[in-house]
Amino acid sequence: MVAVSEGVLRDIISVLQNIIMVCGVFCVPITKNRKTILCGGVFLAGICFGDIWFGYSSLVMMILRVALNPVIIFFWTEGKVIRRFFIYICSIIYLHLVYLCIDFLASVVSGQSMAIVGTFAGYRIIRAIITVVVAGVLTLELWKISGYHNTLQHLPTRYFLTVSICCLAASVVQHYIEDVSKVVYGNLDQMIFITGCMVIVSGMFYALGVGVVVLDILRKKYQEESRLKDEYLQITREYVRMVKENARETRKMRHDLQAHVGSLWHYMEEEKYDKARFYLSDLRSHTDKIFKKTLSVNHEIVDALLLEAQIRSERLQVQWSLDGYIPPELPVTDFDLCTIFSNILANSLEACEKLCPEQRTIHLEIRHYANYLIIELENPTECSVETEMLGSITSKRDVENHGYGIANVRSVVERNGGEISFKNRDRIFCVRILLPFEK
């Protein structure tokens, strides 16, 4: 009876460990579907009943445990199956690293090999409980890191495949060392030394998996920053070119202004008011063609981005409306503002491009409230947008290189202590960003 109770308890704790690792450490969302949660509970109850019927250590239960544990996790979480499968593999292997460290410490304290220590029922329960606590504490600490949850949720599946391969290599090395050590060491010192080396080597392989992912993320971040800097430079050049062109046209108009005033004065003197009105109308039309009506929010970088968006809008026949300005004391770098506005403006224009010309409108509003600057950008959409999935999906064909715009904006906003939210009502999409005046 004691063995049966131990088996049931270990299975329940094992599922708890997996769910904490998958949903906590690796940030897989928990499902809200009650039916799938109930199905997962039924499978867990089935494993526990199997422990009572067949015995925890029976071959049947080993097979069922290996097969049903991931099924339970799949029922209790949501997302792509392949992605969750590799995350599950990463989870159980990293849990094994925790087990390995605990076994090593227990072996050092007790003076017995890890194989002998692992045969005690009470120790196995205590080890499982400690692992749950470690996974829980690790989850709490990781979630305190700004942007961690968002980064993990948007990591491509291939990263988890890479980590799984490194972790499996660590397991192979560990089992090889265990087999060799059974023959090699004959005293406690040798056992501790070899076991300690095994833990270190295994830990290096586990760290290698994480290191590969971190380096690749940093590489992509550097590429994105380089792209944004190039884009920023190009936009700045275009903005300077436009300013110079307007200045040149202003000098031309100033040169011709006396002649225009003379013509208007002549019509007024002759009481030819209709001709004067037509002349003014032609003059106004001419100046509108020469001088582009540029949008401005009192910030050179954002003004340059708005100019670029406005040039593109003319081709798309997008109607703009703008209210508000950016205060000079806003403690956000030009690079971060470039990241925010370049992405949200590009998304709005792409959404308008899918609509008929009379529906293409963009409204940008910037206002102050308390100690926050509020940026709101509205545009109509072709269909409803799933705001919960923004940043993790893209409608573009090149999925490999797209879909990160909103994720980048979210990362910048959170890094500056702000908040970002999305609304979609009656096919009107709105992104709302709050940036504090003090970090």
Side-chain angles (χ1 to χ4, degrees):
M1 188 65 183
V2 175
V4 171
S5 300
E6 179 202 347
V8 172
L9 184 58
R10 286 176 64 183
D11 278 330
I12 294 175
I13 295 176
S14 176
V15 173
L16 181 60
Q17 291 170 354
N18 292 332
I19 201 70
I20 291 176
M21 288 293 294
V22 171
C23 299
V25 175
F26 291 99
C27 303
V28 176
I30 299 176
T31 184
K32 298 177 182 179
N33 191 323
R34 295 182 180 179
K35 291 182 179 179
T36 57
I37 293 176
L38 180 61
C39 289
V42 170
F43 277 101
L44 177 58
I47 293 177
C48 295
F49 180 77
D51 290 332
I52 299 172
W53 187 265
F54 298 103
Y56 181 84
S57 301
S58 66
L59 179 61
V60 175
M61 284 310 303
M62 289 182 181
I63 296 174
L64 286 177
R65 199 173 291 116
V66 172
L68 295 183
N69 268 338
V71 173
I72 295 172
I73 300 300
F74 290 164
F75 272 120
W76 286 353
T77 57
E78 56 186 20
K80 294 182 178 180
V81 175
I82 296 296
R83 178 183 177 85
R84 286 186 288 165
F85 173 75
F86 285 121
I87 290 178
Y88 174 77
I89 296 296
C90 293
S91 298
I92 59 176
I93 295 178
Y94 273 98
L95 282 172
H96 184 69
L97 177 61
V98 180
Y99 275 163
L100 182 62
C101 294
I102 296 173
D103 286 344
F104 173 68
L105 293 175
S107 178
V108 173
V109 173
S110 65
Q112 297 178 334
S113 67
M114 292 192 300
I116 296 176
V117 171
T119 59
F120 297 104
Y123 168 75
R124 291 195 295 263
I125 297 297
I126 294 174
R127 181 183 63 181
I129 294 174
I130 292 175
T131 306
V132 170
V133 173
V134 170
V137 172
L138 181 63
T139 298
L140 293 176
E141 292 301 319
L142 289 175
W143 280 43
K144 291 179 182 178
I145 301 174
S146 177
Y148 174 80
H149 184 271
N150 182 61
T151 301
L152 261 290
Q153 282 196 327
H154 301 111
L155 276 182
T157 304
R158 67 175 183 275
Y159 287 151
F160 298 104
L161 174 60
T162 302
V163 174
S164 299
I165 294 173
C166 293
C167 293
L168 287 174
S171 298
V172 171
V173 171
Q174 176 195 335
H175 285 94
Y176 174 76
I177 295 176
E178 285 179 345
D179 292 337
V180 172
S181 64
K182 291 178 182 178
V183 180
V184 173
Y185 63 67
N187 56 54
L188 179 61
D189 293 337
Q190 290 180 341
M191 178 194 70
I192 293 175
F193 175 75
I194 294 177
T195 307
C197 290
M198 179 178 65
V199 173
I200 293 173
V201 172
S202 298
M204 290 175 63
F205 273 98
Y206 287 110
L208 176 64
V210 177
V212 169
V213 173
V214 171
L215 288 176
D216 195 63
I217 292 174
L218 292 176
R219 178 186 63 83
K220 283 197 169 184
K221 182 179 180 182
Y222 173 76
Q223 289 179 341
E224 179 67 15
E225 289 180 352
S226 298
R227 184 190 66 79
L228 286 174
K229 287 178 180 178
D230 291 340
E231 181 180 331
Y232 162 72
L233 181 61
Q234 184 63 32
I235 291 171
T236 304
R237 287 175 177 172
E238 179 64 23
Y239 184 71
V240 171
R241 186 193 66 80
M242 187 63 65
V243 171
K244 287 182 178 180
E245 183 180 335
N246 283 346
R248 184 170 59 252
E249 294 299 333
T250 300
R251 288 193 295 269
K252 290 180 180 180
M253 286 294 296
R254 186 185 303 164
H255 181 269
D256 297 336
L257 184 60
Q258 187 173 0
H260 293 309
V261 171
S263 298
L264 286 171
W265 181 258
H266 171 73
Y267 287 135
M268 296 299 292
E269 285 286 334
E270 297 291 329
E271 297 183 355
K272 297 178 180 179
Y273 302 117
D274 290 338
K275 288 187 176 182
R277 185 170 62 254
F278 288 137
Y279 190 90
L280 280 173
S281 178
D282 290 340
L283 183 62
R284 180 180 179 182
S285 177
H286 178 69
T287 55
D288 286 344
K289 290 179 181 179
I290 293 177
F291 300 106
K292 295 184 181 296
K293 295 181 179 179
T294 57
L295 302 170
S296 177
V297 292
N298 195 37
H299 191 283
E300 291 182 358
I301 305 304
V302 181
D303 286 349
L305 290 168
L306 288 172
L307 176 61
E308 184 194 38
Q310 191 177 1
I311 293 173
R312 184 179 173 187
S313 297
E314 291 178 358
R315 177 177 61 84
L316 298 176
Q317 301 179 18
V318 178
Q319 299 297 320
W320 275 85
S321 61
L322 171 65
D323 293 319
Y325 66 94
I326 296 176
E329 66 270 16
L330 186 68
V332 180
T333 65
D334 292 345
F335 184 79
D336 286 346
L337 284 175
C338 180
T339 302
I340 292 172
F341 278 93
S342 63
N343 281 292
I344 62 175
L345 290 173
N347 289 340
S348 292
L349 288 171
E350 288 172 7
C352 288
E353 194 171 6
K354 299 176 183 178
L355 303 171
C356 54
E358 58 270 15
Q359 293 179 317
R360 296 172 181 174
T361 60
I362 295 178
H363 174 67
L364 175 62
E365 183 174 351
I366 303 174
R367 63 180 186 273
H368 308 163
Y369 179 76
N371 292 324
Y372 283 90
L373 179 73
I374 303 174
I375 302 170
E376 288 188 355
L377 187 65
E378 290 185 356
N379 60 267
T381 57
E382 184 181 25
C383 56
S384 297
V385 179
E386 296 183 13
T387 55
E388 297 81 4
M389 300 298 292
L390 283 175
S392 60
I393 59 173
T394 176
S395 60
K396 300 177 183 178
R397 294 181 180 179
D398 188 4
V399 179
E400 181 69 20
N401 298 316
H402 293 98
Y404 298 102
I406 293 297
N408 290 338
V409 173
R410 191 192 301 274
S411 177
V412 167
V413 171
E414 291 178 353
R415 186 171 66 246
N416 285 276
E419 299 177 5
I420 182 171
S421 60
F422 309 96
K423 292 182 181 179
N424 186 32
R425 182 179 299 175
D426 299 330
R427 293 186 180 181
I428 298 295
F429 176 77
C430 175
V431 55
R432 188 171 187 260
I433 298 173
L434 278 73
L435 294 173
F437 281 97
E438 294 182 1
K439 290 188 180 180

